[in-house]
Amino acid sequence: MKPALKLTIPSDRMERLHYVKRIFPDARGDDLKGEWAGGRSNALAKLNNVDAVAYGRNRNFLNGSVTHLSPYLRYGCLTLNETFAAIKGKFGLTAENLLMQLAWRDYWRQVWFTRGNAIYSEMEPPKVALGYARLTDAVRQGETGLPCMDAFIGDLLGTGYVHNHARMWLASYIVHHLKIDWREAADWFEAHLLDGDIASNHLSWQWVASTFSSKPYYFNKENLARYTGENYCADCTAVCPFDASYETLQARLFTQPASADAKRYPLKPLPMNAASMHKAVAVYVHDEMLSPNNSVLNQPFPKIFVFDPQLHGDWPLNRLQFVMDCLSEMMHVEVWVGDTYDVLLQRNVGELITQATPNARVKQALTPFLTKWQPVDKLVDAEMSDKRLQRFSRYWDKAAPLLLGT
Ligand SMILES: Cc1cc2nc3c(=O)[nH]c(=O)nc-3n(C[C@H](O)[C@H](O)[C@H](O)COP(=O)(O)OP(=O)(O)OC[C@H]3O[C@@H](n4cnc5c(N)ncnc54)[C@H](O)[C@@H]3O)c2cc1C
């Protein structure tokens, strides 16, 4: 491992983008596209532009009025609570549809907090037979021969943003038509997303697969053609695997009996470091708390963010650039690249204050330090260990009256 390096982030944006490339010469993928510049000021501008009424009408269309808020929520530029309150304050109950989508994010996160690394494995036995084939190069490179799926993969590899409906179609195609192992596909997908988030991603793949839902998600050509405005279907010459009724697709896709067991995917243990003997206190800034407004930063101690290969080593270039944009607004945060443990020892740190996270990798990186975890925003205090809350609809039955006052 190279020695830790303290960074000086250029204030000029173009210079900053190039700087990230120099610091991370091996990062894969394209530069961050202009529309996606990171940071709280850009997040607030996006929030200000939200049209929740149009969203309610057309969010399922690929050209619908979706918000593009996901990376800003993922890295903590905006909290879920302030976003929810701002949208509810501006639009009232006409924003119900969008407010419910924000609650999906809350729900998946609360499941991750409660179930931890279990979300990497099948949460329940699948309701239909799943295949466990390896992810193919054709999928990885967007060369499946289906213009729609290849375009969605092109979005993923090019910008890191894929519309929610396209994520569902693509995941369903990969899991139920190609019979690929959802877990390998979910890892691959998450690693390319700008908003890559273990809870929203892996649990959505499980929802599609039927290992965290009561039935598999699949779709037909009519559905895809309608919500894409015929964009891909009009000139498509491929043999369309989706061109059938739901009954025919069901009979075609799910011929084998479902397994009675949930498949487990053991995680590789990470190396452990010895406890720090130092005394200094610091605020550890992780990648879910990238806002100058984060209240944990009010503590009168040095604030330290580390680009650590153990945590961020497989991140694409655009994600690293997005995070560097965010950090450029956080004046008093020291930014390092290297091993978290080495950096904190170099700064004589023995105690840390940070924001709670369900991310086991972050928790493990901080094990050698006495760490105070500050509570993080959630929309509602749901009793997630209650088995009945293993479905979003039941969580929403409880949450909606509290959140919407209905
Ligand atoms: C297979 C698959 C993988 C996904 N992976 C991720 C991921 O890694 N990171 C991620 O943030 N979202 C993920 N999602 C959820 C959703 O697709 C994205 O949050 C959404 O498309 C982001 O675009 P937007 O901000 O324009 O969303 P909008 O439609 O404008 O929604 C506003 C916000 O609500 C939240 N939201 C909306 N739909 C969902 C949902 N189904 N689940 C959770 N939160 C939701 C997001 O925070 C989003 O920013 C995934 C969905 C699927 C089907």
Side-chain angles (χ1 to χ4, degrees), residues 292-360:
N293 279 32
N294 188 300
S295 59
V296 183
L297 302 182
N298 295 336
Q299 303 280 345
F301 304 110
K303 286 119 196 131
I304 301 174
F305 177 92
V306 187
F307 282 106
D308 181 335
Q310 295 273 15
L311 302 173
H312 314 118
D314 61 347
W315 279 18
L317 178 65
N318 57 10
R319 217 193 271 190
L320 295 164
Q321 289 172 324
F322 187 97
V323 165
M324 201 68 96
D325 278 343
C326 301
L327 289 164
S328 73
E329 292 181 343
M330 300 171 72
M331 294 313 200
H332 301 296
V333 175
E334 294 175 22
V335 179
W336 291 75
V337 59
D339 182 79
T340 301
Y341 185 69
D342 292 347
V343 170
L344 295 176
L345 288 198
Q346 200 169 318
R347 295 289 282 103
N348 297 325
V349 171
E351 278 185 42
L352 289 170
I353 303 171
T354 192
Q355 177 177 293
T357 172
N359 188 331

Side-chain angles (χ1 to χ4, degrees), residues 33-54:
K33 303 286 182 287
E35 191 216 335
W36 294 104
R40 181 165 168 86
S41 47
N42 291 315
L44 290 171
K46 281 234 164 37
L47 181 57
N48 198 35
N49 281 336
V50 165
D51 181 345
V53 177

Side-chain angles (χ1 to χ4, degrees), residues 55 59 66-70 73 98 101-102 104-105 108 161-164 167-168 171 189-190 193 195-197 200-201 204-205 208:
Y55 182 92
R59 63 173 279 266
V66 291
T67 65
H68 291 184
L69 285 174
S70 52
L73 290 163
L98 176 53
Q101 298 313 310
L102 291 170
W104 268 102
R105 179 176 168 79
W108 292 140
Y161 179 80
V162 184
H163 185 282
N164 179 59
R167 295 183 201 214
M168 290 162 60
F189 196 65
E190 192 271 335
L193 284 171
D195 61 23
D197 174 273
S200 289
N201 184 67
S204 293
W205 279 85
V208 167

Side-chain angles (χ1 to χ4, degrees), residues 30 33 62 138-171 173-174 188-189 192-193 224 227-228 230-234 236 238 242:
D30 294 347
K33 303 286 182 287
L62 287 207
V139 172
R140 287 181 191 280
Q141 285 149 23
E143 292 170 358
T144 66
L146 298 176
C148 51
M149 296 299 140
D150 291 344
F152 306 150
I153 298 168
D155 288 344
L156 176 71
L157 304 181
T159 65
Y161 179 80
V162 184
H163 185 282
N164 179 59
H165 218 158
R167 295 183 201 214
M168 290 162 60
W169 291 322
L170 180 59
Y173 169 63
I174 292 174
W188 161 77
F189 196 65
H192 286 88
L193 284 171
L224 188 141
Y227 290 105
T228 54
E230 292 274 344
N231 246 358
Y232 308 103
C233 304
C236 181
F242 318 121

